[in-house]
Amino acid sequence: MVSLSLLFDGLRLVWTAAAPDMPPALWMVTLTVWGILGIAALIDALKKIVPDPLILLGAVGVTAALGFAVSWEVAAQHLRLALASALIIWAINALWYARFKRDALGMGDAKWTLLAVLCFGPVRALVAWGGGAILAVFVMGVARLAGRRLSQVSFAPFLFVGLSAASWILSHPIDGL
């Protein structure tokens, strides 16, 4: 039987590696944010909305944890990068809307990305977008082959799978690559 100490140490190592820009002492914050992002993705899948209170709770928690554990300057740097990421997604959607009169991205994706960047960093969030997009296209293709056309797809669940995979892959480099 595996001791609780070994299990606890394993969880600490996994969640420390998952967010390399976060101090190792904040691994439980990383785990909590991953849970918040997962719940937000599930709600998006079921109700087509990423709840603001969940994202706000996560963002305030990460910012406060960084501020108290490291410095308020570091917390502000993380927050600026996260806000810039959300603003980029909003701008892309605004340009798309101006041209085609329909949204390209939901603002839930921008909010979800804000929290992902704040905690896990821009590299993992960007890989999550790439992996999530590939997975979403695959699911839409399978649905189409099955004779079912999907008019709208909630993207946060795909982002969550992409973030989880990115965190794992980028934390466990393959020897020789």
Side-chain angles (χ1 to χ4, degrees):
M1 187 164 130
V2 176
S3 73
L4 287 177
S5 175
L6 284 175
L7 180 62
F8 189 77
D9 286 344
L11 283 173
R12 182 181 50 79
L13 290 173
V14 167
W15 293 107
T16 298
D21 295 337
M22 292 285 283
L26 298 181
W27 72 269
M28 288 190 78
V29 172
T30 303
L31 174 60
T32 302
V33 169
W34 183 78
I36 289 171
L37 290 170
I39 291 167
L42 179 62
I43 292 170
D44 188 36
L46 298 173
K47 297 189 176 200
K48 307 283 190 242
I49 188 166
V50 173
D52 292 341
L54 269 179
I55 301 302
L56 182 61
L57 175 68
V60 168
V62 171
T63 304
L66 282 169
F68 287 117
V70 183
S71 76
W72 291 103
E73 281 183 44
V74 169
Q77 289 171 347
H78 278 249
L79 190 55
R80 276 193 299 268
L81 191 56
L83 289 169
S85 300
L87 184 61
I88 289 168
I89 294 169
W90 175 83
I92 290 169
N93 188 61
L95 290 171
W96 187 273
Y97 190 86
R99 174 73 173 105
F100 298 105
K101 302 298 182 220
R102 61 186 170 93
D103 288 322
L105 306 164
M107 289 303 96
D109 302 331
K111 295 182 293 188
W112 195 98
T113 301
L114 179 143
L115 183 54
V117 169
L118 186 60
C119 185
F120 293 93
V123 172
R124 281 164 172 72
L126 190 58
V127 173
W129 269 83
I134 291 168
L135 184 58
V137 168
F138 176 76
V139 167
M140 290 168 41
V142 168
R144 181 169 252 182
L145 289 174
R148 188 165 172 228
R149 247 186 118 120
L150 300 177
S151 61
Q152 185 181 15
V153 176
S154 296
F155 195 51
F158 297 106
L159 286 172
F160 182 71
V161 171
L163 179 67
S164 299
S167 294
W168 178 261
I169 291 166
L170 294 173
S171 301
H172 298 83
I174 298 170
D175 291 334
L177 291 182

